[in-house]
Amino acid sequence: MPQLVVKDLSINFGGITALVNVSFQVEKGEIFSIIGPNGAGKTTIFNCINRIYTPHRGTILFQDQDLLRYKPFEVSKLGIARAFQNIALFENMTVLENLLLGRHHRMKSGVMAGGIFWGKAKREELSHRKRVEEIIDFLEIEAYRYQIVKTLPYGIQKRVELARALCMDPFLLLLDEPVSGMNVEETEDTARFILDINEELGTTIVLVEHDMRVVMDVSDRICVLNFGEKIAEGRPQEIRNDPLVIRAYLGK
Amino acid sequence: MINGNFKTNYEDEIKIFQTTFVKFWLVILFVGLIIFPLVADRYFIYLCNLCGIAIIGALGLNILTGYTGQISLGHAGFLAIGGYTSAILSTKLGIPFWLAMPLSGIMAAMAGMIVAIPSLRLKGLYIAITTFAFGFIVDHLIIHWESMTNGPSGITAPRPSLGVFVFDSDKSYYFIIIVMVILATGFARNLFRSRVGRALIAIRDRDIAAEIIGINLTKYKIQAFSISSFYAGIAGSLMAHYFDVITFENFTLMLSIQYLAMIIVGGVGSILGSIYGAIFITLLPELIRLLTDLFRQEYPSLTTRFADLKSVTFGLIIIIFLIFGPKGLYGVWRDIKVYWKNWPFTY
Ligand SMILES: Nc1ncnc2c1ncn2[C@@H]1O[C@H](COP(=O)(O)OP(=O)(O)OP(=O)(O)O)[C@@H](O)[C@H]1O
Ligand SMILES: [Mg+2]
C-alpha cells in the first residue's frame, strides 16, 4: 500500500485552474519529486495535503486515511511535516524555541502545568529538548541554538526550517524548494541532508524543486506538472529524455 | 559537542533565575518589598497598591495582545466583571474574599471565552472592534441590571479578613496585592517558557505555519482570551475590595486604553515590560500633578487644567513610544544593559 495516494485532484481559484485531475502515489521510504515551471501548481498540491486548501474534486489518502476529513492542525498529528517555499519560521524566537515548537503536537502540558512549571511540564520540556538536540546535531546547527531566527543568514534559516519539520518526527516530509536561493555549497549540503534524512530516519519525502541537478540526484521518481496538469512521471532517466517535459521547460 | 549528562545541562539552562547575580538582586528586591510598607508613607503605599493591581491587569492584557497578537479594547470589561462578581458574591452571598477572588477570575475567564468565539474568524482591527463593543455591553449591564449591581450608584465590597484580622489598612492590603503580583508574574513567566506560551507566540508571528506544525488555533486563541481575562478578573476583584466603592465609571473605555498604553509603553510581549508600563502609567497622573503643583505660583490656571493635561500627556506618551520606542521601556532597558555589558568596547 502506498503511503500517499493523490487521486484526481482538481482546484481552481476564480478563473485560474491550478490543478486538473492530478494523480500520483508515493511509496513508503521513497523520495518523490514534483517539478514544473512557475505557477504549475506544485505548492498548491502541498497546500491541499496540509488542508490549507480544500480541493474541488479528488481524494488524498495518507496511510489509508482520508486527509480531507482532517483540519490543518490535525494533519501534523498523522505524521506529515512541511518546510515552506518562503521561510515560515517564528522569527522573533530563538532556534531552540522554533524547534521545540516542532515538538508541540507530541507534548501535552497545558496552561496550568506550564504556568506552574513543576514536575510534569518540566520533565516533558527536558525530554523533548533531548530529541531537539539530536536533530540539531543531525543538521549541524549547534552554533545557532540560542540565536533569534531573524538575525540568521538565509541559508541557515532554511536549514532551521528543515530542522523544525524533522523535530515533528514525521513519516512524510514535504519540502517546498529547499535549496532555492542557496549557493552551491549550501545546495550540496542540503541535498546530502535530504538523502541522510531519507536513509537514516526512513522518512518518505516529497520534494518540490527547481534545481534540476538536485532533483535528478536525489529522486527515486519524478512527477512533472505543467499548467496544473501532470504531463509525465517516471525515474530521473526517463524524465530527462521525455519529449513532453523538454518542451514544457524549453518551449517558452 | 554535547556531553553525556543531558538532563542536568538542560535543567540548568531552563532555570528561571540564571545567575547568582540575578538571584542576589531578587532577594534584595524581595526584602525591599517587605520593608517598604513598614517605613513608607500611607499615600505611597496606596500608590504602590494601585501599581500592583495595574501590573496584574497589564500582564493579562499583554498575554492576549502582546504575546498572542489579539488586540483588545475591552480589557476594562473583564476587570469590571471580576470586580462586580467579587463584590456581589461577598455582599449578597457572604462568600469570603479568598474564594470570591478566584471565582471572579473564573467568571471573567468564561466571559473571555465567549468574547473569543466571534474573534476566532476575525483578525486585527476587527477583534479590536469586537472587544470594544464588549466593553460597552458590560458597562450597559452594570448600569441597567440594578437588582444585581446597584446601577449607577455602584457597589461596596468588604475588606478581606482572616479570622479576626481584617485587612482594612493600605498596609495590610499591600501584602495581599504583592502576593498576587508575585503569583501572576511567576505564572506568566513560566507560561512563556513552556509549550502553551510558545504556541501563543507562534500564532502571533505566523498563524498558518503554526497550524501546520499542529497548533490548534481555535483552542489556543480561546485559551489566550481566558487566561488574559482571568488576570483581569483578579485585578478587578482586588480593586473592588480595596476601593470604598466601585461604579461603572471605574471601568470605562479610558481604562482599556490605559492598559493598552501600559503594554505599549512598557513593552509588547514582555513580562518585565508589563510591570514597567503598569507602574509608569499608574504614576503618570501623580507626576503631572507634582509638576502642576510646582508651577502653580507662576501659572495658577494649570491646576484647573489638570484633567486636560493628563489626557494630552497620555496621548503624547503613547505616540512617542509608538514612534521612537516600539519595544517600550523594557526594550530601552535592555539596550542600556547591552550597552553597559559591552562598555567600553562599544563598536
Ligand atoms: N490562494 C490563491 N488564490 C489565487 N490563486 C492562487 C492561490 N494559490 C495558488 N494560486 C494560483 O495557482 C497557480 C499555481 O500556484 P502554485 O503556487 O501552486 O505554483 P507553483 O508550481 O508552486 O509555482 P512556483 O514554482 O512559482 O512556486 C498559480 O497560477 C497561482 O497564481
Ligand atoms: Mg511554489
Side-chain angles (χ1 to χ4, degrees), chain B residues 62-79:
Chain B
N62 225 337
I63 289 171
L64 180 66
T65 300
Y67 282 103
T68 319
Q70 317 291 309
I71 297 172
S72 170
L73 275 174
H75 205 55
F78 297 112
L79 274 116

Side-chain angles (χ1 to χ4, degrees), chain A residues 116-247:
Chain A
I116 296 162
F117 206 66
W118 208 280
K120 199 184 109 210
K122 195 170 170 186
R123 273 199 304 279
E124 185 180 51
E125 191 81 11
L126 291 172
S127 73
H128 285 269
R129 172 71 193 274
K130 212 166 146 180
R131 178 66 183 141
V132 164
E133 287 295 333
E134 287 165 16
I135 304 290
I136 287 178
D137 280 357
F138 190 79
L139 292 183
E140 298 161 18
I141 46 175
E142 294 91 344
Y144 309 103
R145 263 194 211 98
Y146 304 108
Q147 314 239 18
I148 301 288
V149 162
K150 69 176 166 204
T151 65
L152 295 173
Y154 176 85
I156 299 298
Q157 289 194 20
K158 276 275 205 199
R159 203 184 296 175
V160 172
E161 189 164 5
L162 182 58
R164 185 180 66 188
L166 279 190
C167 282
M168 295 167 69
D169 284 338
F171 299 121
L172 174 66
L173 183 58
L174 309 175
L175 299 178
D176 200 344
E177 307 200 9
V179 306
S180 72
M182 285 188 171
N183 62 32
V184 179
E185 196 189 332
E186 289 169 331
T187 302
E188 277 175 7
D189 283 348
T190 306
R192 180 170 54 82
F193 284 132
I194 292 172
L195 288 170
D196 285 352
I197 292 165
N198 180 248
E199 275 166 28
E200 290 178 33
L201 307 176
T203 314
T204 309
I205 295 174
V206 177
L207 173 70
V208 165
E209 186 47 68
H210 282 297
D211 186 321
M212 278 313 129
R213 274 208 30 221
V214 172
V215 170
M216 293 297 164
D217 280 356
V218 306
S219 311
D220 293 313
R221 284 187 307 132
I222 299 169
C223 155
V224 189
L225 287 186
N226 193 23
F227 293 113
E229 284 181 78
K230 182 167 123 177
I231 56 170
E233 184 184 310
R235 310 210 154 268
Q237 262 325 308
E238 299 160 4
I239 295 301
R240 208 192 303 262
N241 303 321
D242 190 304
L244 267 176
V245 177
I246 294 169
R247 187 159 358 119

Side-chain angles (χ1 to χ4, degrees), chain B residues 196-245:
Chain B
V196 175
R198 277 194 299 263
L200 297 183
I201 302 174
I203 291 174
R204 176 195 68 192
D205 282 358
R206 268 180 197 279
D207 50 356
I208 290 183
E211 212 168 4
I212 299 294
I213 60 171
I215 293 169
N216 182 346
L217 297 190
T218 308
K219 179 176 150 191
Y220 284 102
K221 279 188 189 171
I222 291 178
Q223 286 193 355
F225 265 97
S226 49
I227 304 166
S228 164
S229 29
F230 183 87
Y231 272 69
I234 296 291
S237 167
L238 287 171
M239 271 169 83
H241 293 267
Y242 187 45
F243 297 171
D244 293 332
V245 56

Side-chain angles (χ1 to χ4, degrees), chain A residues 17-36:
Chain A
T17 309
L19 293 174
V20 191
N21 287 332
V22 174
S23 302
F24 60 86
Q25 301 192 346
V26 182
E27 300 297 328
K28 196 162 185 300
E30 205 177 16
I31 298 184
F32 184 89
S33 289
I34 303 173
I35 61 171

Side-chain angles (χ1 to χ4, degrees), chain A residues 2-69:
Chain A
Q3 187 156 39
L4 178 72
V5 179
V6 172
K7 198 155 183 291
D8 297 330
L9 209 60
S10 299
I11 186 169
N12 42 276
F13 302 100
I16 304 165
T17 309
L19 293 174
V20 191
N21 287 332
V22 174
S23 302
F24 60 86
Q25 301 192 346
V26 182
E27 300 297 328
K28 196 162 185 300
E30 205 177 16
I31 298 184
F32 184 89
S33 289
I34 303 173
I35 61 171
N38 291 112
K42 306 178 295 292
T43 301
T44 304
I45 292 181
F46 279 5
N47 283 337
C48 289
I49 295 175
N50 276 132
R51 301 295 292 104
I52 296 175
Y53 295 160
T54 296
H56 297 139
R57 244 161 53 79
T59 51
I60 308 173
L61 298 180
F62 174 68
Q63 295 179 341
D64 277 342
Q65 309 240 43
D66 179 5
L67 276 189
L68 300 184
R69 285 189 9 239

